[in-house]
Amino acid sequence: MRTQVAIIGGGPAGMFLAHLLRQAGIDAVVLERRDRAYVEGRVRAGVLEQGTTALMRRLGLAARLDREGLVHGGTNLSIDGALFHIDLAALTGGSTVTVYGQQEVMRDLFDAAEARDLPILWNVGDVALHDLDGARPWVGWTGDGVARRLDCDFVVGCDGYHGVSRAAIPAAVRQTFERVYPFGWLGILADVPPVEHELIYANHERGFALASMRSATRSRYYVQCALDEKVADWSDERFWDELCLRLGPEVSARVTRGASFEKTIAPLRSFVSEPMRWGRLFLAGDAAHIVPPTGAKGMNLAVSDVIMLGEAMAEYYGERSTTGIDGYSARALARVWKAERFSWWFTTITHRFPDMDVFSRRLQVAELDYIRGSEAAQRVLAENYVGLPMEVR
Ligand code: APR
Ligand code: PHB
């Protein structure tokens, strides 16, 4: 079997890239370790930057997004129960974000892939990358117990943090940078109306909380928890009580409680692996970098990577120019590090750190109070929150 671009992993990075390459007339095959139901079933964040919605439109994937996505021109911060609003649109010259779950994005990507006959190989095992430093790389894998081979011009590792692609870059070349946070997020989904029509990022003495949503009738809530806590220790009642304490009496009086149908704990991590290209291998999305979920940059960052990579490949096949692919790693990393900085900063000012002394807590409160009172500070937050330019051409 032969193709131009072998894409390892069919998450957001891999599937957006597959659609981008198809639009550019470049052949690609996606190799995914799991099945569609598994990939589509994973509950992740749900805030799309404008660059992401613009790409969905350009790729003809936005029909349902335009009907069902919730456009937010603002967001809220809360400090010890006192809420204040950030007018994202006014601060950024009209930019907004759209609340639309990653599960919905995946469904749209897979439905369109089926309609467009994009080749996806499901349930592939033992993926191994070969001859990446030569002119003719290939991917080995097993399907139905049989060893198979895919020859290609390029391999793109879109196989997430736990994938195999990143490790194919020799250790002598690869540098990794990491921060592991001493807490996790316990998240629930419940079919109750959201407490507020826009999100609330709450810093409370007891820890961080986030009020988000999926629709007018479905809420997504999170509370910061310790890393050794178990989901089983968190009854719905305990969750709602803790959430309400952290949102404060005024907001929590409006919280509608209900049975949760999803409850998981996720760790928080900042991680970058450099470079994002080695020979004929390129990395995109979580395979190269992780951000903590504060600010919901994860999927948006995967999208900005593959936009740059798609352009670079179109340039290579269309004009036989290697300028784009040679510049990909540096160009992608420049944007990645800015999103890393923002996600780290937003996490730092909103969470309770176990070793936090009174001095650090006072600084945190002062920083949030400064944001409340300063249009300049709000604009910095807003510009990053709605997303730095993705240059969708
Ligand atoms: N072979 C083939 N596929 C693999 C392999 C492998 N060895 N290892 C992992 N995969 C698949 C996974 O099953 C998954 O579907 O690669 C995909 C990676 O998807 P994500 O982890 O979602 O990563 P990415 O596409 O970069 O998305 C980034 O989306 O899921 C969120 O938290 C993530 O917000 C981040 C964004
Ligand atoms: C979510 O709705 O799941 C969500 C929203 C905003 C975030 C993180 C997660 O920053």
Side-chain angles (χ1 to χ4, degrees):
M1 204 176 165
R2 192 188 153 79
T3 190
Q4 290 176 305
V5 181
I7 300 174
I8 315 301
M15 289 310 301
F16 272 113
L17 181 63
H19 282 282
L20 275 162
L21 294 180
R22 167 59 66 86
Q23 196 170 62
I26 300 166
D27 283 333
V29 174
V30 177
L31 295 95
E32 167 57 51
R33 189 164 55 133
R34 311 298 293 254
D35 58 19
R36 174 172 170 171
Y38 175 86
V39 179
E40 213 176 295
R42 291 179 306 184
V43 181
R44 299 285 165 84
V47 180
L48 309 186
E49 295 177 4
Q50 265 183 177
T52 299
T53 49
L55 179 65
M56 288 181 73
R57 284 200 190 93
R58 195 183 106 195
L59 293 172
L61 299 169
R64 211 159 58 89
L65 170 75
D66 285 335
R67 281 198 311 275
E68 297 174 15
L70 307 172
V71 177
H72 285 190
T75 193
N76 300 285
L77 297 183
S78 155
I79 175 83
D80 289 332
L83 196 67
F84 63 99
H85 186 247
I86 308 283
D87 190 337
L88 298 170
L91 290 157
T92 58
S95 292
T96 55
V97 293
T98 304
V99 173
Y100 190 69
Q102 183 171 316
Q103 289 174 288
E104 309 308 321
V105 176
M106 291 316 301
R107 197 176 125 196
D108 297 338
L109 285 163
F110 289 138
D111 281 351
E114 229 167 79
R116 297 168 190 180
D117 270 328
L118 295 189
I120 306 176
L121 303 172
W122 301 103
N123 300 307
V124 302
D126 310 321
V127 165
L129 315 183
H130 300 275
D131 300 340
L132 297 166
D133 52 350
R136 277 184 286 281
W138 59 282
V139 179
W141 87 96
T142 51
D144 298 326
V146 182
R148 300 181 193 269
R149 172 179 177 133
L150 175 64
D151 291 283
C152 54
D153 301 333
F154 298 106
V155 179
V156 185
C158 297
D159 48 352
Y161 183 66
H162 301 287
V164 294
S165 302
R166 186 173 64 248
I169 301 180
V173 178
R174 196 153 46 91
Q175 269 192 295
T176 56
F177 307 89
E178 187 170 44
R179 282 275 183 283
V180 177
Y181 299 86
F183 40 71
W185 277 20
L186 168 64
I188 67 154
L189 277 169
D191 277 326
V192 292
V195 62
E196 222 11 78
H197 76 286
E198 291 170 345
L199 276 61
I200 304 174
Y201 291 87
N203 176 323
H204 189 272
E205 184 75 56
R206 296 176 64 87
F208 171 79
L210 170 59
S212 182
M213 71 219 45
R214 290 293 174 269
S215 70
T217 55
R218 180 167 291 180
S219 298
R220 177 82 167 142
Y221 289 111
Y222 299 91
V223 294
Q224 171 188 349
C225 66
L227 277 171
D228 56 3
E229 288 189 84
K230 304 271 173 293
V231 171
D233 300 333
W234 284 87
S235 64
D236 282 357
E237 195 187 357
R238 180 176 172 208
F239 183 92
W240 290 114
D241 287 347
E242 189 62 38
L243 177 77
C244 284
L245 280 174
R246 295 184 190 184
L247 292 176
E250 216 168 289
V251 172
S252 64
R254 290 183 277 116
V255 167
T256 309
R257 299 182 180 213
S260 71
F261 61 88
E262 216 273 339
K263 197 185 276 167
T264 40
I265 294 180
L268 273 71
R269 181 189 299 273
S270 297
F271 172 85
V272 180
S273 176
E274 297 181 359
M276 286 172 65
R277 180 243 180 136
W278 184 71
R280 289 191 167 244
L281 170 69
F282 298 84
L283 301 180
D286 279 18
H289 43 72
I290 297 284
V291 287
T294 330
K297 294 291 168 215
M299 179 167 58
N300 294 296
L301 210 46
V303 167
S304 71
D305 285 352
V306 298
I307 288 174
M308 294 181 206
L309 191 53
E311 274 170 15
M313 297 217 159
E315 215 173 287
Y316 175 83
Y317 285 106
E319 301 157 30
R320 288 287 145 190
S321 157
T322 60
T323 310
I325 58 177
D326 290 341
Y328 167 71
S329 179
R331 192 173 165 218
L333 283 166
R335 192 177 187 283
V336 164
W337 274 109
K338 293 184 189 84
E340 290 284 345
R341 186 207 66 81
F342 175 70
S343 304
W344 162 83
W345 170 79
F346 203 21
T347 303
T348 305
I349 65 159
T350 49
H351 287 66
R352 174 158 193 94
F353 286 73
D355 59 353
M356 214 166 166
D357 58 10
V358 184
F359 184 83
S360 317
R361 172 75 188 150
R362 290 279 195 281
L363 289 181
Q364 231 184 24
V365 173
E367 181 147 13
L368 283 158
D369 198 37
Y370 173 62
I371 295 170
R372 177 179 18 210
S374 160
E375 194 181 299
Q378 288 187 13
R379 183 164 291 120
V380 172
L381 191 161
E383 179 176 57
N384 284 278
Y385 191 84
V386 301
L388 299 176
M390 280 196 204
E391 301 166 45
V392 183
R393 285 179 196 163

